[in-house]
Amino acid sequence: MGWFNRYVIGSISPKWAMQRERYARGLRAYYEAAEPSRYRKWRTDRRSGNAQVERAAAPLRVQARHLDENYDVAAGILDVLVANTVGRGVQPEPQVLLQDGSPATEVNSKLLKLWNQWIFACDVTGQYHYYELQRLAARSWFRDGEIFAQRIVGTVPGLFHGTALPYSLEALESDFVPHDLNDPDRRIVQGIEVNAWGRPVAFHVYKGHPGDSFTVSLETKRVPASVMTHLAFRKSFHQLRGISIFATVMGRLDDIKEVDENERVAARVAAAMAAVIKKGTPEMYEADDVPRDESGQPMRRDMFFEPGIIFDELMPGESVETIDTKRPNNALIPFRDAQLRSAAAGTMVSFSSASKNYNGTYSAQRQELVEQWGIYQMLGSGFTFRFCQPVWDSFIDAAILSGAVELPRNVDRDTLYDCTHTGPSMIWIDPEKEAKALIMQMQWGFKARSRIIRERGDNPDEVNREIQRDQQELERLGIKLPGDGKAQASADTDGEPARESTAEEVEE
């Protein structure tokens, strides 16, 4: 209650003061959550996203790495995220066109051939295949909140490109860009140099990992933003650095881990059967009744268990009881599942994937998969646009500048960087039903065959060439398959699939 109502009006008429306060509160609390109470805390942190990240990102990154290294559930969540956003690799398919709008087949073929050679030695260390590098980058992105990669095109002193193409990648963990490097005069915020609009223009990067024992000095180098890839999890506008995906569930995962460990210890204690001798009251015993050793000290009494054992050496008033620890705890599984559901929601994976519990009906599994796949596509598109496409753009620059690929005069240069990236495809729960649905979509013109192939994670050109080679090989060997390679996916006018050919019709 305000001071005026409490001390002025309240001294005259408490009832009137309460009525005034009630009406005033109704006007103020249009949103109840905007009014603090003894039942609800009021958070007053009004700092910017950058200020919050500067304080919390590094400690959260350390804890997230600890969970990845020491807790199987956290490591499994990262595995699921990487598998469904990157999988075996986000593979490019060049889409260069000629000026008449037709595909530049020869150029696209040369680019793809050159790409398949470059991916085997793409990074500056020569240790990683490009798609392996993608998986490590995605894992660091989810776990640490961000990942950096410098794209190096051309000759650089001391750098040996792994292939004939003068192009390499330098993958950098978030540790390489210091959070505590701030210089208002040079517009440097947490290691990132920005212009007046907040657009990154350069990154200040350590020359060596600050956590390595052989790093002599923490000297930084300035890397232009035009050659640096920065993929980050952000939760607010104008936030430059990323935050770990475990940020909201880190405490919950740590608690679940501790509960699991305690329950395992309790189960081990329960598995090691133990018994105690329950004694009577003190007045039932005399000093001479206690067995003693040669030195006069009370003798330790050991009990040995075997089938049909009879204890006949008990003292008066004693009985034997076993220790029951009530473990395993039957209430643990429902509690743990409830906690894992919340952790899965906070880390953008499905509960079934996080807990490895796939019990449920087909409809429930299908609904969970469809709903979750939208989240995986959202994450995958972010990884593609912010990591894969810049890598491809620099690859095109290196291929053209080095003369590895010659462009015909009639090529449309506006389409040189056009590329379709194909990532993981959604798993089929019922392959027969899924395949029939896709066939009907293709029959009625709702979806192109090439798009269906891309959604399954393959390259349409490669699939077509494989089908052509298979048909030629079957003809050469004189092998006939049901349908003889003819399209049986054509539909009748009512939309039903055409009748399959019988064995007699195939022979004819």
Side-chain angles (χ1 to χ4, degrees):
M1 183 179 294
W3 68 270
F4 183 78
N5 288 335
R6 178 183 296 272
Y7 299 109
V8 179
I9 304 299
S11 62
I12 301 174
S13 173
K15 182 178 180 181
W16 184 22
M18 292 295 295
Q19 289 177 343
R20 281 174 54 88
E21 182 65 23
R22 184 167 60 252
Y23 291 134
R25 183 173 300 175
L27 292 175
R28 290 197 306 267
Y30 184 77
Y31 290 100
E32 292 183 357
E35 288 292 324
S37 67
R38 61 191 181 96
Y39 303 108
R40 183 175 57 253
K41 296 180 180 179
W42 200 9
R43 278 76 179 179
T44 59
D45 191 351
R46 300 179 181 178
R47 294 175 299 168
S48 67
N50 276 333
Q52 293 178 337
V53 169
E54 181 179 5
R55 178 182 177 183
L60 288 176
R61 182 174 66 229
V62 173
Q63 297 303 317
R65 290 176 179 175
H66 176 78
L67 287 174
D68 183 21
E69 295 165 356
N70 297 278
Y71 189 31
D72 47 10
V73 173
I77 289 175
L78 292 175
D79 291 338
V80 170
L81 289 170
V82 173
N84 287 280
T85 56
V86 176
R88 62 181 182 179
V90 180
Q91 305 175 23
E93 180 186 346
Q95 301 291 333
V96 182
L97 302 178
L98 300 177
Q99 292 179 355
D100 60 1
S102 61
T105 306
E106 185 177 352
V107 176
N108 291 331
S109 178
K110 289 182 178 179
L111 287 174
L112 197 57
K113 182 178 180 180
L114 185 63
W115 172 266
N116 289 333
Q117 295 172 356
W118 175 79
I119 58 178
F120 285 97
C122 62
D123 77 304
V124 294
T125 66
Q127 297 182 4
Y128 304 109
H129 186 282
Y130 175 63
Y131 298 129
E132 183 182 5
L133 194 69
Q134 283 186 352
R135 289 188 287 272
L136 288 175
R139 193 178 194 89
S140 298
W141 177 40
F142 294 124
R143 183 193 61 213
D144 301 342
E146 59 186 355
I147 182 67
F148 298 89
Q150 183 179 359
R151 307 184 303 277
I152 306 171
V153 178
T155 303
V156 177
L159 174 61
F160 172 75
H161 295 290
T163 63
L165 188 69
Y167 176 40
S168 296
L169 296 176
E170 182 185 16
L172 301 168
E173 292 181 320
S174 58
D175 309 70
F176 278 86
V177 180
H179 276 278
D180 56 356
L181 180 56
N182 296 283
D183 190 343
D185 295 334
R186 293 189 294 168
R187 295 185 181 276
I188 299 178
V189 181
Q190 299 176 37
I192 301 178
E193 185 177 336
V194 298
N195 61 15
W197 293 94
R199 185 187 185 94
V201 296
F203 296 83
H204 294 263
V205 183
Y206 286 130
K207 293 184 178 180
H209 196 293
D212 284 338
S213 58
F214 52 81
T215 299
V216 179
S217 65
L218 297 180
E219 184 180 357
T220 61
K221 59 182 179 180
R222 185 180 185 273
V223 180
S226 59
V227 297
M228 179 70 85
T229 295
H230 182 207
L231 181 65
F233 267 114
R234 300 183 179 92
K235 292 192 174 183
S236 62
F237 291 110
H238 308 294
Q239 177 182 330
L240 292 174
R241 303 296 297 267
I243 201 76
S244 172
I245 199 172
F246 289 133
T248 58
V249 300
M250 198 167 291
R252 190 182 302 275
L253 287 176
D254 203 35
D255 291 342
I256 300 175
K257 179 177 181 293
E258 188 170 352
V259 169
D260 287 346
E261 291 175 350
N262 293 339
E263 285 295 328
R264 291 204 311 271
V265 172
R268 289 175 58 188
V269 173
M273 183 177 178
V276 296
I277 298 176
K278 185 177 180 181
K279 299 180 180 294
T281 58
E283 57 269 14
M284 298 178 60
Y285 297 89
E286 296 182 3
D288 296 337
D289 294 336
V290 179
R292 298 180 181 274
D293 56 17
E294 296 178 356
S295 62
Q297 298 296 326
M299 184 181 299
R300 175 179 173 179
R301 302 167 65 187
D302 295 328
M303 303 174 65
F304 299 94
F305 289 86
E306 62 182 20
I309 186 68
I310 298 177
F311 297 101
D312 57 355
E313 297 181 357
L314 297 178
M315 302 295 293
E318 291 182 341
S319 61
V320 177
E321 293 184 0
T322 58
I323 299 176
D324 186 5
T325 62
K326 308 296 183 183
R327 292 297 190 276
N329 186 359
N330 294 329
L332 173 63
I333 299 302
F335 169 78
R336 189 174 184 273
D337 285 350
Q339 299 303 309
L340 283 178
R341 287 184 186 277
S342 299
T347 52
M348 293 189 282
V349 300
S350 63
F351 165 72
S352 298
S353 299
S355 64
K356 303 302 184 232
N357 181 0
Y358 300 99
N359 295 331
T361 63
Y362 168 82
S363 300
Q365 291 186 31
R366 175 67 182 172
Q367 178 63 28
E368 183 183 36
L369 179 61
V370 171
E371 181 178 343
Q372 189 62 36
W373 189 249
I375 298 178
Y376 294 147
Q377 285 185 314
M378 177 187 69
L379 296 172
S381 63
F383 184 82
T384 299
F385 296 145
R386 301 295 297 174
F387 185 87
C388 300
Q389 187 62 47
V391 170
W392 177 261
D393 292 344
S394 296
F395 170 80
I396 296 296
D397 292 337
I400 295 175
L401 293 175
S402 64
V405 174
E406 296 182 0
L407 300 177
R409 293 183 178 180
N410 61 339
V411 71
D412 185 358
R413 291 183 174 271
D414 292 336
T415 65
L416 287 179
Y417 301 98
D418 290 356
C419 176
T420 299
H421 294 275
T422 303
S425 59
M426 186 170 69
I427 305 292
W428 283 350
I429 295 180
D430 190 326
E432 182 179 2
K433 293 181 180 179
E434 307 278 359
K436 288 181 178 179
L438 291 176
I439 290 174
M440 293 187 65
Q441 291 182 34
M442 185 175 61
Q443 291 172 351
W444 289 99
F446 295 148
K447 187 174 290 187
R449 176 177 173 272
S450 58
R451 177 173 290 274
I452 293 176
I453 294 175
R454 290 191 184 97
E455 290 179 352
R456 301 311 308 158
D458 293 314
N459 186 319
D461 293 336
E462 293 181 356
V463 171
N464 292 335
R465 286 194 293 269
E466 290 176 0
I467 292 176
Q468 184 182 33
R469 287 195 298 268
D470 287 348
Q471 291 177 346
Q472 293 174 352
E473 186 67 11
L474 291 175
E475 291 176 1
R476 186 182 70 83
L477 298 175
I479 299 176
K480 290 186 177 182
L481 298 177
D484 197 18
K486 298 179 181 179
Q488 297 185 21
S490 59
D492 297 330
T493 55
D494 58 356
E496 293 295 329
R499 177 179 58 85
E500 294 185 359
S501 302
T502 61
E504 292 76 13
E505 292 173 339
V506 172
E507 286 297 325
E508 293 177 1

